[in-house]
Amino acid sequence: MQADDGSGGRAWPKAGDLYLIASVFAWGVNFPIAKLVLDYMPPLVFSASRYFAASAFLFALLALRGDSLKITMTEAVRLFGIGLLGIALFQGGWAYGLSLTSASKASILVATSPVFAIFIVTVMGEKTSLKAWLGVFVSLFGVAIIINNSFSEITIGGGSLIGDLLIIGAAAVWAIYTVVSGPMVQQKGPLLVTAWAMLFGACILTAVDFNAIAAQQWTAIPTKGWIAWSMTALLGAALAFVWYCSGIVRLGVARGMAYSFLIPIIAIATSILFFEETMTWIQIAGVAVVMGGIQMARKN
């Protein structure tokens, strides 16, 4: 699939870059906020409820724009599959994994998704240069520096093996979702595809653990919990998914997914601003490595 960045040859940043920067910013901010929400509800309840809300928001946007919400039976089957991958399997695995492992380990493990993606598109026949491969691994190394925060020892720890494996599995599923959803997004547009995929995915999550959703004590959730949940539903789910799909369609999988390496950086920055954490010179060096890797992959 030949990507069209919609730029007409203009210099960076192009439309695809801006969409992806917006999406990874939303997801980076979402990471520590989601950890807070998981204190008040189980992982599948959190994922199902926020994607029902996100899909309702996107359907409302489509209706306000006067766009048709209709899909054919064939399209429904394809969208069900996209929802299964990008919402049910990825978000379910991510939320469960995040609840079982440390946030630092989860940040670096989920950042392996571009590695899976570039391998998939290469197998499918998309031409990916050696420089793009190198850029992806350079960025991944930069993420490791940021999370480890040391040049002399391994400091990443905490959590469980099951949690780590769930996060890695979710990263692989996200790569598959990115590749599979691309043709549908080009055909029907990111808003419609994301709205239906989120609705189908939320229904799957509800069917998997309906008892937990029915037993959830919604009135016991404090105001700060609802504010955090609302942010993850509207910014981290609805808008971020639409922006991400819009960017990937314009830049292609290999170049576009390289921006995913910015998510841990933004997550750490959010923690610094709102949770009084600090950033060291080692982590700043890691940011520089990540940015250099993204630039290498971006020029593929």
Side-chain angles (χ1 to χ4, degrees), residues 34-275:
K35 192 74 173 176
L36 172 65
V37 179
L38 289 171
D39 289 337
Y40 304 109
M41 60 182 71
L44 285 189
V45 175
F46 168 54
S47 294
S49 61
R50 77 182 185 122
Y51 281 105
F52 271 127
S55 64
F57 175 76
L58 293 180
F59 279 125
L61 283 182
L62 287 164
L64 288 173
R65 287 170 30 148
D67 295 344
S68 173
L69 307 182
K70 294 181 180 180
I71 54 175
T72 66
M73 184 58 67
T74 300
E75 290 169 342
V77 172
R78 292 173 63 187
L79 287 167
F80 180 88
I82 292 172
L84 174 65
L85 287 170
I87 307 302
L89 293 179
F90 171 72
Q91 292 296 327
W94 175 80
Y96 262 118
L98 185 59
S99 69
L100 294 174
T101 193
S102 65
S104 61
K105 286 173 73 177
S107 295
I108 191 169
L109 291 175
V110 81
T112 60
S113 187
V115 179
F116 289 110
I118 199 171
F119 175 78
I120 292 170
V121 297
T122 300
V123 171
M124 293 176 62
E126 182 175 310
K127 293 182 179 179
T128 304
S129 69
L130 179 61
K131 190 173 184 180
W133 275 97
L134 183 60
V136 166
F137 282 103
V138 167
S139 291
L140 184 60
F141 178 66
V143 171
I145 293 174
I146 294 166
I147 302 301
N148 191 64
N149 195 24
S150 174
F151 288 131
S152 60
E153 60 180 344
I154 303 298
T155 63
I156 299 171
S160 68
L161 177 61
I162 294 177
D164 295 344
L165 292 176
L166 283 171
I167 294 293
I168 293 174
V173 168
W174 182 252
I176 298 171
Y177 160 82
T178 300
V179 175
V180 169
S181 63
M184 192 73 174
V185 171
Q186 283 190 318
Q187 178 187 358
K188 303 295 290 186
L191 265 180
L192 185 69
V193 170
T194 305
W196 278 107
M198 285 185 172
L199 178 59
F200 285 132
C203 289
I204 295 170
L205 290 171
T206 300
V208 169
D209 202 4
F210 178 78
N211 290 336
I213 295 175
Q216 174 65 38
Q217 299 296 315
W218 301 101
T219 57
I221 300 174
T223 301
K224 69 175 183 179
W226 281 116
I227 293 174
W229 177 90
S230 298
M231 290 183 65
T232 65
L234 299 182
L235 182 63
L239 295 178
F241 266 70
V242 172
W243 293 334
Y244 177 78
C245 291
S246 300
I248 291 295
V249 164
R250 286 168 169 79
L251 295 186
V253 174
R255 291 190 297 167
M257 285 200 73
Y259 280 104
S260 299
F261 291 116
L262 292 175
I263 294 175
I265 298 174
I266 298 168
I268 290 174
T270 302
S271 298
I272 291 171
L273 290 173
F274 297 102
F275 299 102

